[in-house]
Amino acid sequence: MIRIGGEAWQVMRAHAEAIFPNECCGAMLGRNDGETKHVTVALPLENVHAGPRVTRYELRPEDLLRAEKEARGRGMDLIGIFHSHPNHDAYFSETDLKNSCPWYSFVVLSVKDGQFDHAKSFLPNMEQTEAPEEALDLPG
Amino acid sequence: MPKVMIPTPLRQYTDKKDSVEVAGATVGEILGALTATYPDLKKNLYNDEGKLRSFVNVYVNDEDIRYLGKDKAQVAATDTVTIVPSIAGGR
Ligand SMILES: [Zn+2]
């Protein structure tokens, strides 16, 4: 299960709403105690997809590297990646799956008419063929 | 010896080490030696055909090995090899 702390969640939600109607993306930092992943820091990252960003996102590897270093500097782990689905539900699409990485939790935020609606977390497998849902615990 | 930086989620396969020094002159040699030492790392980096998985990017210092000859990219003793995932998506 993945539990997102209040401060990190505020950052994720605000970022998803600010970037609407485009898809936003970012990194989640924290600690994994083996049972629960505790996210305490969210880092908004630039969506560098070359085409329309209403339906697609892409992270710059250099930005992921920077997120890794930031995590290391704080004695944390890079635990997951978040992105938004503007005016669509929080599901893990075929495109999400084909461009995923099994090392991380993937949190999808559904934003409707500029307002956060709901979120889900997914755990893609190594072969990028399926991504079962992961229990997601959001603040209050 | 060249140093390989390990992404945080993969450190469970490298005895919790965040970097590992590995002997070798090319990326292929270095990743080969690294995954021989830590076999559990191998399936995370390579598919069944022995190719790097599509979500795995490898850098020598700040250069993507795709532009340096891939597996044959030269690595000097003072270089740092970094494993970075590639991530994208869309609804
Ligand atoms: Zn998506």
Side-chain angles (χ1 to χ4, degrees), chain B residues 1-5 19-26 30 59-62 74-82:
Chain B
M1 266 193 280
K3 192 162 77 169
V4 184
M5 303 301 289
S19 69
V20 182
E21 295 199 340
V22 190
T26 63
I30 288 168
Y59 285 67
V60 176
N61 301 327
D62 289 327
Q74 298 289 312
V75 183
T78 51
D79 286 345
T80 299
V81 175
T82 309

Side-chain angles (χ1 to χ4, degrees), chain A residues 57 92-103 106 123-132, chain B residues 43-44 47 52-56 85-89:
Chain A
Y57 82 96
F92 212 61
S93 72
E94 199 58 27
T95 311
D96 286 334
L97 191 56
K98 292 290 170 251
N99 297 282
S100 65
C101 173
W103 308 338
F106 283 77
L123 291 169
N125 68 351
M126 199 85 79
E127 310 301 333
Q128 301 178 313
T129 50
E130 55 183 5
Chain B
K43 70 176 193 329
N44 277 279
N47 63 19
L52 275 178
R53 290 188 183 274
S54 59
F55 51 79
V56 177
S86 76
I87 294 173

Side-chain angles (χ1 to χ4, degrees), chain B residues 17-71:
Chain B
K17 288 187 193 126
D18 62 3
S19 69
V20 182
E21 295 199 340
V22 190
T26 63
V27 165
E29 286 175 19
I30 288 168
L31 292 184
L34 179 73
T35 53
T37 311
Y38 302 107
D40 290 337
L41 199 56
K42 194 168 182 174
K43 70 176 193 329
N44 277 279
L45 301 182
Y46 292 96
N47 63 19
D48 293 341
E49 286 100 59
K51 291 217 168 71
L52 275 178
R53 290 188 183 274
S54 59
F55 51 79
V56 177
N57 291 326
V58 180
Y59 285 67
V60 176
N61 301 327
D62 289 327
E63 283 267 13
D64 192 324
I65 61 161
R66 257 175 292 187
Y67 310 112
L68 298 172
K70 298 181 179 173
D71 263 16

Side-chain angles (χ1 to χ4, degrees), chain A residues 20-77:
Chain A
F20 182 91
N22 286 333
E23 289 200 12
C24 79
C25 51
M28 298 181 291
L29 278 48
R31 279 190 188 85
N32 184 353
D33 67 17
E35 235 168 69
T36 304
K37 300 165 186 167
H38 301 268
V39 174
T40 45
V41 175
L43 293 179
L45 299 174
E46 192 185 344
N47 178 354
V48 297
H49 179 65
R53 291 187 286 272
V54 175
T55 54
R56 295 290 293 266
Y57 82 96
E58 191 177 331
L59 288 165
R60 205 184 270 126
E62 289 80 1
D63 286 343
L64 275 174
L65 199 54
R66 198 164 46 82
E68 268 283 336
K69 283 181 185 160
E70 174 94 22
R72 194 170 301 163
R74 292 168 179 254
M76 293 178 178
D77 286 349

